[in-house]
Every structure is written in structure tokens, then in C-alpha cells.
């Protein structure tokens, strides 16, 4: 009776098999089988606990990232309101240089995982591309893209390709103008000789 109750509750699909063929098996095989069932139960339980812990960790990291972004955004907006002399919600290179002198912003940037050296380098290029003027929202988006934990996206690769194409175009123009100048110097020398 206890064996029937145990078999019915643990393996309801296999009750017919256990009552027929399994009934003739020695007792120690039954003990091994139930130990195996117990082991599977605890393994599945540990698996589910691991999945639950992983979900909690991912949610906690997401919330921490949202908080860092909110703090960084608030700090940047507070500093921009002080530094933005013309109140146009755009930053010039000079205004951004003033912002970089604020230790509280640099601390918040480092806490958010932003590489400040790369930020200065990329903003130098960005200010050149935008005629020395960039909106605060574009600035914040660029800052958030430079966090160390971010992975490269297709958009990043396309932006990089555009950057290389434009820089190579400018380099080609410089080489052509240099070649023309050298050619003119050579022609002038031929005429003077």
C-alpha cells in the first residue's frame, strides 16, 4: 500500500509498468531508482533556483544602469544650465571644456563607466563635424554610447565606416592638392630653366 501510494505520486505515468515488470525486480533496484528520482528532483530544484537568481541579477543590473543614467542626465543638465551662456540648449567646444573642469561630472562619468579620455577625443571630432556646436541631447547620447559595458552594434560599425570614408576622402583631397602644387612647382622650374 505504501509502495502503491509512492509510485502513484512520484511516477503516475509509469504505475502500470511498476506494478507489472518492476514488481519482480530485487528490492535494492527499487531503492536505487527512488534515490535517482530524489536526485533528479533536487537537481531540477537547483536549476530553477539558479534561473531565478539570474533573473533577479539581470533586473538589478538594469535598474542600476537606469539609475546611473538618470543621475548622469540630471548632473549634466544641472551643469549645462550653469555653463550654457547663451541658453540655447546647445554646447560649443568652449562650453564643453568648462564642463570638463567640473570634478562632480567627471566622477559621475567614471561611475557610469564612461571612458573620459575617449570622450574628449570623440567629442573633438564631433564638434568638428557639427560646426563647433552640438545639442545637449546629442551630447548625452554620445556620452551614454561611450560606456565600457556597451557592446558594438551595427549602427556603430556603420558610423565607423562613414567616419573612415569621410576621413579618407579628405586625405585624398589633400594628397591631390599637394600633387597639384608639386606639379605646378615642377612646371614653373622647367619654364625658368
Amino acid at each position: 500500500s505504501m509502495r502503491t501510494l509512492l509510485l502513484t505520486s512520484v511516477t503516475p505515468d509509469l504505475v502500470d509498468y511498476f506494478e507489472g515488470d518492476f514488481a519482480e525486480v530485487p528490492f535494492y533496484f527499487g531503492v536505487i531508482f527512488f534515490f535517482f528520482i530524489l536526485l533528479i528532483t533536487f537537481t531540477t530544484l537547483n536549476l530553477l533556483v539558479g534561473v531565478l537568481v539570474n533573473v533577479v541579477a539581470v533586473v538589478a543590473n538594469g535598474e542600476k544602469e537606469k539609475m546611473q543614467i538618470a543621475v548622469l542626465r540630471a548632473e549634466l543638465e544641472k551643469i549645462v544650465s550653469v555653463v550654457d551662456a547663451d541658453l540655447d540648449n546647445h554646447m560649443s567646444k568652449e562650453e564643453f571644456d568648462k564642463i570638463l573642469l567640473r570634478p562632480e561630472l567627471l566622477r559621475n562619468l567614471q561611475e557610469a563607466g564612461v571612458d573620459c579620455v575617449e570622450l574628449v577625443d570623440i567629442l573633438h571630432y564631433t564638434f568638428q563635424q557639427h560646426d563647433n556646436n552640438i545639442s545637449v541631447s546629442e551630447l548625452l547620447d554620445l556620452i551614454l554610447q561611450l560606456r565600457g559595458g556597451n557592446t558594438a552594434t551595427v549602427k556603430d560599425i556603420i558610423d565607423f565606416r562613414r567616419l573612415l570614408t569621410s576621413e579618407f576622402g579628405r586625405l585624398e583631397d589633400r594628397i591631390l592638392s599637394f600633387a597639384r602644387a608639386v606639379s605646378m612647382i615642377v612646371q614653373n622650374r622647367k619654364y625658368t630653366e
Side-chain angles (χ1 to χ4, degrees):
S1 66
M2 189 63 177
R3 184 175 68 104
T4 306
L5 180 62
L6 184 62
L7 287 174
T8 311
S9 62
V10 173
T11 57
D13 299 344
L14 302 174
V15 171
D16 295 336
Y17 172 73
F18 288 129
E19 288 178 354
D21 298 335
F22 200 69
E24 299 169 5
V25 177
F27 176 74
Y28 57 89
F29 283 131
V31 172
I32 293 173
F33 174 75
F34 284 112
F35 178 73
F36 178 72
I37 294 293
L38 185 67
L39 183 67
I40 288 175
T41 303
F42 281 112
T43 303
T44 306
L45 179 68
N46 284 336
L47 174 78
L48 293 176
V49 167
V51 168
L52 183 63
V53 166
N54 191 25
V55 167
V56 169
V58 167
V59 170
N61 285 338
E63 291 299 319
K64 180 181 176 185
E65 184 175 324
K66 283 181 185 177
M67 278 186 14
Q68 285 178 340
I69 291 171
V71 167
L72 188 62
R73 183 182 300 271
E75 186 70 31
L76 185 63
E77 288 173 354
K78 182 176 83 173
I79 292 174
V80 165
S81 67
V82 172
V83 175
D84 191 12
D86 49 4
L87 300 174
D88 63 349
N89 210 22
H90 280 72
M91 297 295 299
S92 67
K93 177 77 170 118
E94 294 77 26
E95 290 172 335
F96 184 73
D97 288 341
K98 290 178 187 176
I99 286 178
L100 286 179
L101 298 176
R102 305 276 183 147
E104 62 272 11
L105 179 67
L106 292 176
R107 182 176 22 84
N108 286 337
L109 287 173
Q110 288 175 343
E111 286 175 4
V114 175
D115 187 353
C116 295
V117 175
E118 290 299 319
L119 175 66
V120 171
D121 288 343
I122 194 98
L123 282 176
H124 176 71
Y125 172 75
T126 303
F127 278 118
Q128 284 179 349
Q129 295 298 316
H130 289 91
D131 296 328
N132 204 28
N133 198 5
I134 187 172
S135 72
V136 175
S137 63
E138 287 176 321
L139 177 66
L140 185 62
D141 289 341
L142 187 62
I143 288 172
L144 294 177
Q145 286 177 359
L146 291 175
R147 289 178 295 154
N150 290 352
T151 56
T153 62
V154 174
K155 180 188 176 296
D156 295 330
I157 302 299
I158 290 172
D159 289 344
F160 182 65
R161 190 191 82 208
R162 285 184 187 151
L163 169 71
L164 285 179
T165 302
S166 68
E167 290 299 314
F168 281 132
R170 285 201 280 168
L171 181 63
E172 184 179 12
D173 292 343
R174 284 182 175 174
I175 290 172
L176 288 175
S177 65
F178 180 72
R180 284 187 206 114
V182 169
S183 174
M184 289 178 67
I185 290 172
V186 169
Q187 285 179 357
N188 286 341
R189 236 186 205 179
K190 285 182 182 179
Y191 290 128
T192 56
E193 292 178 354

